[in-house]
Every structure is written in C-alpha cells, then in structure tokens.
Amino acid sequence: MAGHTQNEITIAAPLDLVWDMTNDLERWPQLFSEYASVEVLKREGAKTTFRLTMHPDENGTVWSWVSEREPDRDARTVTARRVETGPFAHMNIHWSYEEVPAGTRMVWTQDFEMKPDAPVDDAWMTDNINKNSKVQLALIRDKIEKAAAGRRPAPALAD
C-alpha cells in the first residue's frame, strides 16, 4: 500500500507573489510553523538540495532530512522529493499554482510509502499529512494575504 494526499487552498493574492513567497526556501521558517531551519546544500540550475529541520515534536525529537526541489515557473509547478527518506520508502511532492478569480489556487500532492519498519503506517501518515497540510496552508494563506495587502496602493482620497 502507498499513501497519497492532495490538499489545496485559494490565496487572495497574485500568482507572482504566491510563487515568490512559497519558493523562497531560506524564508520557509517564517512561512511554515513547523520548520526551525532550512540549510541550502547545493544549487544546480533550478534544482535546490536542502536540509529541513523541524521544531521539536511533543516528545522532544527534532526531525531533519534532505530534500531536493525543482520549480518550473513556466509550468507553474514544483516537483520535490526526499533524498534522505528516513521512515519513508519514498516521498514525492508536487506543488501546482493556478490563477483563479479569487487569486491563486495552490495544490500540494504527496505520494509516499512508509518503510516496513517505520513507527507508523501509510494510513496513519496520510491522516497526519492531511491534518497538518490544512494547518500549514491556512498559515501560508494568511501570511501571503497580509503581504499582498501591504503591497496594494492606498485608495485615492476624494477632494
């Protein structure tokens, strides 16, 4: 069995701003609540290899892993995968962005499989990713919408 999740949100902001903020890896600790740090290890063309480190979990464990991420601005997509898979047999992530009347729709799709000796199974991880994605997407939406509001010109004053 393998796990699959798909979560999305519409952000009331232009695609360029959503793209720029969500693809600024070094600023992810300010965008996501779960990441303590991001260390860029290598850049090759559009592909970036980086280490993500999370804040300690409820047991005090600090999780960290290496991923690679490759954005394609023209296609409005990002493909990513864990290089250091940890408890995962594999973890592949696809981000897509679409301009919609209300702003920008961002969709996260994750395909993964847990290793047989992992502490949790695919069903548990699917549920966990779905719950956490909703939290993170809402935080990201709020931060980007706040940034977008700060970039809007002030209304003209009546004479």
Side-chain angles (χ1 to χ4, degrees), residues 105-123:
R105 182 171 62 196
M106 185 171 63
V107 180
W108 291 349
T109 305
Q110 294 173 274
D111 290 295
F112 60 91
E113 186 173 359
M114 303 309 294
K115 290 179 180 173
D117 61 347
V120 298
D121 62 12
D122 293 336

Side-chain angles (χ1 to χ4, degrees), residues 121-138:
D121 62 12
D122 293 336
W124 186 94
M125 187 55 72
T126 298
D127 184 56
N128 186 61
I129 289 171
N130 280 329
K131 285 179 186 172
N132 190 52
S133 291
K134 287 173 181 39
V135 170
Q136 296 304 315
L137 285 166

Side-chain angles (χ1 to χ4, degrees), residues 34-54:
E34 60 191 345
Y35 300 138
S37 67
V38 176
E39 177 188 2
V40 173
L41 304 173
K42 180 171 51 171
R43 292 189 193 274
E44 296 177 71
K47 186 188 300 182
T48 304
T49 303
F50 59 100
R51 175 172 295 284
L52 274 175
T53 302
M54 297 182 79

Side-chain angles (χ1 to χ4, degrees), residues 35-82:
Y35 300 138
S37 67
V38 176
E39 177 188 2
V40 173
L41 304 173
K42 180 171 51 171
R43 292 189 193 274
E44 296 177 71
K47 186 188 300 182
T48 304
T49 303
F50 59 100
R51 175 172 295 284
L52 274 175
T53 302
M54 297 182 79
H55 293 288
D57 67 15
E58 63 278 356
N59 300 316
T61 303
V62 175
W63 298 95
S64 181
W65 64 89
V66 173
S67 289
E68 61 183 27
R69 180 177 173 81
E70 188 163 8
D72 181 339
R73 179 65 176 88
D74 292 338
R76 300 177 177 174
T77 61
V78 178
T79 55
R81 70 179 186 90
R82 282 193 183 203

Side-chain angles (χ1 to χ4, degrees), residues 13-22 73 76 99 104 151:
L15 185 135
D16 286 338
L17 180 62
V18 175
W19 179 270
D20 290 346
M21 288 184 70
T22 59
R73 179 65 176 88
R76 300 177 177 174
E99 289 181 285
T104 303
R151 293 180 179 206

